[in-house]
Amino acid sequence: SYIDFTEIVVVYIALHRDAWQAVLVATLAGIILDAASGGLIGAGRFSKTLTAYVIFFAATRVNLENPLLRIPVLAAATVLDSAIYVFWHRVLGYPPIVPLMQTMSYKLIATTTVGTIVLYMIDAVVAERSSQRRQFATRRRVARRSTGSLRRR
């Protein structure tokens, strides 16, 4: 499968500026993927962790709240993750199983496309819930004010 759902989750968490949670999720996702792939243990963990940190660092410096800006961030995260993963495999002498550029390009296209849709859907659900919370908070404030003014009189 060319779609890296763990990368989508890591990018989503890192974009919300929670560094420890993003690094922890990236580390756990990398370890699980390394164990499942049967390849070099630690390369996936390191690549996902470093990717999460780089995205978090960029999100703290630049405002990435715009959904259109998340598309190139997701694409860059996918390329960075793949590049680090391949780098460690090559440095440590593991031969590539599949053609490198073909796999990276398919992964880039698939993860960016699906990730954009998933991130948009998650944002729509979270935005809907937060707007409901704000509406209920406003109603509670109004209710508290009205009952508070009755008590004083």
Side-chain angles (χ1 to χ4, degrees), residues 59-76:
T60 58
R61 302 288 185 247
V62 180
N63 185 10
L64 297 175
E65 295 297 323
N66 186 352
L68 289 177
L69 289 176
R70 293 180 182 186
I71 297 170
V73 169
L74 186 60

Side-chain angles (χ1 to χ4, degrees), residues 3-16 18 21-26 28-29 48 51-52 55 74 77-78 111 114-116 118-119 122:
I3 302 170
D4 192 357
F5 287 107
T6 57
E7 190 69 35
I8 296 168
V9 171
V10 167
V11 167
Y12 178 76
I13 294 171
L15 283 174
H16 286 283
D18 191 0
Q21 188 176 12
V23 169
L24 181 67
V25 168
L28 291 175
K48 295 226 180 291
T51 302
I55 292 170
L74 186 60
T78 303
T111 302
V114 172
T116 301
V118 168
L119 290 178
I122 290 173

